[in-house]
Amino acid sequence: MQLYFFDLRWGDERFIDEDGIVHFDEGSALYYARRIADKIGRDADYGSLKVEVRSGEGKLLATVAPSEGRGHEQFAFIGRRRPGDASLRMPSSPP
């Protein structure tokens, strides 16, 4: 088991993880970083969010961005309209 740190970065802002979390290996830590990026990416400025993974010694191991699928999901939510909205009707549907 090894200690890893997960720092968050949005453009010029940065949140430093001072506590860290123990994982079995680097693969597990990178998976966890992707989950963090995807969960936070639902609500944040999607283009600039990054999760920086550091080892227990402070060495930068990876920088992880939200998965592309979350960007498409966010776009779909933004593009939704209220049920019954005329913009959602098919051209042949009655009003």
Side-chain angles (χ1 to χ4, degrees):
M1 301 285 279
Q2 299 175 19
L3 183 64
Y4 294 92
F5 297 92
F6 302 88
D7 303 334
L8 305 179
R9 184 182 294 269
W10 285 275
D12 294 337
E13 295 187 45
R14 187 173 182 194
F15 171 79
I16 304 295
D17 178 4
E18 296 176 355
D19 300 324
I21 297 177
V22 176
H23 285 274
F24 289 106
D25 57 20
E26 272 186 39
S28 173
L30 294 176
Y31 175 79
Y32 184 73
R34 174 61 59 140
R35 299 272 301 155
I36 292 171
D38 285 346
K39 286 211 178 255
I40 294 174
R42 289 179 181 172
D43 302 322
D45 173 13
Y46 219 83
S48 67
L49 175 69
K50 304 283 185 272
V51 178
E52 297 176 342
V53 183
R54 293 182 290 121
S55 68
E57 295 80 37
K59 178 183 172 190
L60 181 65
L61 301 175
T63 301
V64 179
S67 62
E68 190 173 315
R70 293 288 186 203
H72 295 298
E73 176 183 285
Q74 185 183 47
F75 180 75
F77 285 137
I78 291 170
R80 280 194 183 162
R81 305 279 190 262
R82 292 186 321 267
D85 187 342
S87 64
L88 291 178
R89 289 195 196 113
M90 297 294 290
S92 61
S93 353

